Amino acid sequence: MKFYKRHIAKTLSDCANEYSAIVVYGPRQIGKSTLLEDVFVKTGYAKSITFDDKNIKNLALHDPKTLLNIYNPPLFIDEFQKAPEILETIKLCIDKNKQPKMFFLSGSDILPILNSVETLSTRMCLIPMLPLSQSEIDERENWPFKPDFDAMLNRKKECDQIAIFNRIIKGSMPDINNGTKTNISAFYFTYITSTVLKDIREDITNVSNITSFWNFLKCLTSYVGQKINIQNISSKINVSDKTIKKWIDALEASGIIFLLRPYSQNILKKAIKSPKLYFYDTGLICSILNYIDPIDLLKSEQAGHIFECYAISEIYKSYTNAGLKYKIYYIEDAYSNKEIDFIIEADNNEIYPIEIKKSATYHDKFFSNFNIVNSIKNKKILPMTVICCVENIMKIKDNMYVLPISYL
């Protein structure tokens, strides 16, 4: 079994030196517990417990002071969202001792985590964690994406188009990539039924609803890389708009999907309000759509949107793993019908405009929509970048780059 070095480990260690409580949250089965165990428990620094243990969970719910007397800090608590009431007692313990690196918490449901922010205030640091990145799988250093030609050159990694689409199908879950699980279809079916459904448990109460949820997932994958239409999904699977919205919210809170909002600086002639939908793990999309062969996927109508999803999720991971909170949007002018797949707004007022193309051949038309960004005020527009399946990086002009997807 292969173990991957997680790039977010440095961010985790740095934050632990400044905060009394660290919360690592993200989708199930991506290695949150393994990371915390490796950094803090196996080194002998902290003890560990899990609220998957019913006895420990009951103690946390009914007698949390006794729990922390038995398992005093430094302490790693896995699946802490199953008994978030423990946070009040953790707060009292932190206030009494006023030390960093006291508690390390992990969980997959962000809602109780966000509800606890006020409880622990500045004592707690939230660290999101995502599935494996392409760089982690390739055992390369993390590179927070930036349209810098010299930095891009240093990222050279040869990988042909078919290999990229095979990677898209394989996905980014550790158990698949390290060889623990070899049947991709069986893994993702089990993942959905045993983990994803748990996060939608309030609305999945009978066989009919479970069937509707599977239909919902299949319908949702058809919106990857596109503006989502809740009413359309509702009518297709005969489920209320309210339920569809709740399911989408739950998937977003669980780190399965993310929604890309439109960029607005009141500069466009007409505002576009609908968000676009993406998955953090393309393996889940391909499993739901029954794509098992990269050539079949490459020839499909959805290939471009799924490829776009893969690219943007990799860029998201590069920022998350570096502890950066860059904002990513898509931008569209409704009157001219021009759109840029997404723009990144960095902390220093920089804008990175990016187009994604699955093509292995460069065409000048790839840059035809970038003039939309010329209307953005008080921002520094960095070189426009097209990410595609060409073999080598290309500088078309000083402000126009073409980047192979394998360089990310």
Side-chain angles (χ1 to χ4, degrees):
M1 181 191 303
K2 187 173 184 178
F3 292 93
Y4 293 99
K5 177 184 176 181
R6 303 309 298 263
H7 291 154
I8 203 168
K10 183 181 185 304
T11 298
L12 175 63
S13 297
D14 290 345
C15 292
N17 290 326
E18 299 179 359
Y19 291 86
S20 299
I22 297 293
V23 179
V24 177
Y25 66 93
R28 298 177 188 270
Q29 298 185 27
I30 62 167
K32 301 184 298 295
S33 302
T34 300
L35 175 64
L36 287 165
E37 288 274 356
D38 287 345
V39 176
F40 299 112
V41 179
K42 290 183 179 180
T43 56
Y45 179 77
K47 301 176 285 295
S48 68
I49 58 175
T50 176
F51 288 169
D52 279 335
D53 185 316
K54 292 183 179 180
N55 291 329
I56 291 179
K57 176 184 173 182
N58 286 334
L59 199 57
L61 289 171
H62 304 294
D63 194 358
K65 289 185 178 179
T66 295
L67 177 69
L68 295 188
N69 285 335
I70 298 173
Y71 303 100
N72 55 306
L75 179 65
F76 163 42
I77 304 177
D78 193 20
E79 297 293 347
F80 92 96
Q81 82 279 356
K82 294 183 177 181
E85 294 82 357
I86 190 70
L87 293 172
E88 289 291 346
T89 306
I90 287 177
K91 176 182 178 295
L92 293 174
C93 183
I94 290 174
D95 288 346
K96 180 179 179 181
N97 293 277
K98 293 182 172 59
Q99 296 292 325
K101 299 173 69 172
M102 293 181 64
F103 294 95
F104 311 97
L105 316 175
S106 71
S108 56
D109 189 348
I110 192 175
L111 295 180
I113 295 173
L114 292 178
N115 290 336
S116 69
V117 171
E118 184 176 352
T119 299
L120 289 173
S121 185
T122 57
R123 307 164 184 84
M124 177 176 69
C125 180
L126 297 175
I127 299 180
M129 185 172 173
L130 298 174
L132 288 168
S133 69
Q134 182 172 272
S135 293
E136 288 171 324
I137 294 170
D138 291 339
E139 298 182 315
R140 293 183 290 162
E141 291 299 313
N142 185 44
W143 173 55
F145 174 83
K146 184 174 183 177
D148 180 307
F149 193 78
D150 292 334
M152 290 174 173
L153 280 174
N154 293 331
R155 295 289 296 179
K156 185 171 183 178
K157 170 71 177 179
E158 294 182 3
C159 195
D160 64 36
Q161 188 181 38
I162 302 301
I164 287 294
F165 274 80
N166 188 61
R167 177 168 285 181
I168 288 172
I169 289 173
K170 192 174 183 180
S172 52
M173 298 299 283
D175 280 353
I176 290 293
N177 284 278
N178 67 19
T180 302
K181 302 291 190 296
T182 57
N183 188 317
I184 298 176
S185 298
F187 171 82
Y188 280 109
F189 176 80
T190 304
Y191 182 74
I192 293 170
T193 54
S194 65
T195 61
V196 176
L197 286 177
K198 286 183 179 180
D199 296 326
I200 322 292
R201 58 192 176 275
E202 291 183 1
D203 294 300
I204 307 297
T205 56
N206 54 54
V207 174
S208 175
N209 274 358
I210 292 175
T211 301
S212 295
F213 183 74
W214 272 101
N215 291 334
F216 159 74
L217 284 178
K218 291 178 181 178
C219 193
L220 205 62
T221 57
S222 68
Y223 282 95
V224 168
Q226 301 178 70
K227 292 188 284 290
I228 192 166
N229 188 322
I230 291 176
Q231 291 75 25
N232 190 295
I233 297 175
S234 173
S235 63
K236 283 184 177 180
I237 66 173
N238 197 28
V239 173
S240 71
D241 292 2
K242 182 179 178 181
T243 297
I244 297 297
K245 180 66 167 60
K246 288 177 69 175
W247 288 353
I248 289 174
D249 288 346
L251 289 178
E252 187 176 19
S254 301
I256 303 298
I257 65 171
F258 59 98
L259 301 178
L260 211 63
R261 269 77 184 182
Y263 182 79
S264 176
Q265 203 184 41
N266 295 321
I267 58 168
L268 301 179
K269 295 179 180 179
K270 183 179 179 181
I272 306 297
K273 296 182 179 180
S274 300
K276 287 188 174 183
L277 172 79
Y278 297 90
F279 283 68
Y280 284 112
D281 179 25
T282 54
L284 182 58
I285 303 171
C286 294
S287 178
I288 293 170
L289 294 174
N290 294 317
Y291 285 119
I292 59 175
D293 181 86
I295 295 178
D296 288 340
L297 174 58
L298 182 55
K299 293 189 298 184
S300 73
E301 293 182 356
Q302 292 173 298
H305 292 304
I306 295 175
F307 181 78
E308 179 183 326
C309 182
Y310 175 71
I312 190 173
S313 66
E314 287 299 317
I315 290 175
Y316 249 122
K317 292 170 190 175
S318 78
Y319 295 142
T320 299
N321 288 339
L324 299 174
K325 307 296 183 185
Y326 290 179
K327 299 174 182 178
I328 304 181
Y329 307 90
Y330 74 91
I331 185 168
E332 180 179 4
D333 187 334
Y335 284 117
S336 68
N337 290 322
K338 286 187 175 182
E339 176 183 319
I340 297 177
D341 288 330
F342 56 96
I343 62 171
I344 298 166
E345 188 174 38
D347 292 336
N348 51 3
N349 263 358
E350 292 179 339
I351 293 287
Y352 313 161
I354 301 169
E355 278 278 86
I356 309 295
K357 307 292 181 182
K358 68 179 177 65
S359 175
T361 305
Y362 166 72
H363 299 281
D364 289 340
K365 65 181 181 181
F366 289 168
F367 286 93
S368 60
N369 289 348
F370 279 103
N371 61 351
I372 296 177
V373 300
N374 293 335
S375 299
I376 298 178
K377 306 298 183 183
N378 303 317
K379 300 286 183 179
K380 181 181 179 181
I381 310 299
L382 267 65
M384 299 169 283
T385 306
V386 170
I387 299 174
C388 57
C389 289
V390 297
E391 294 181 359
N392 297 297
I393 188 172
M394 303 163 63
K395 181 184 283 190
I396 308 303
K397 294 181 180 178
D398 286 342
N399 66 336
M400 296 166 60
Y401 303 154
V402 178
L403 181 69
I405 184 72
S406 58
Y407 281 43
L408 291 179

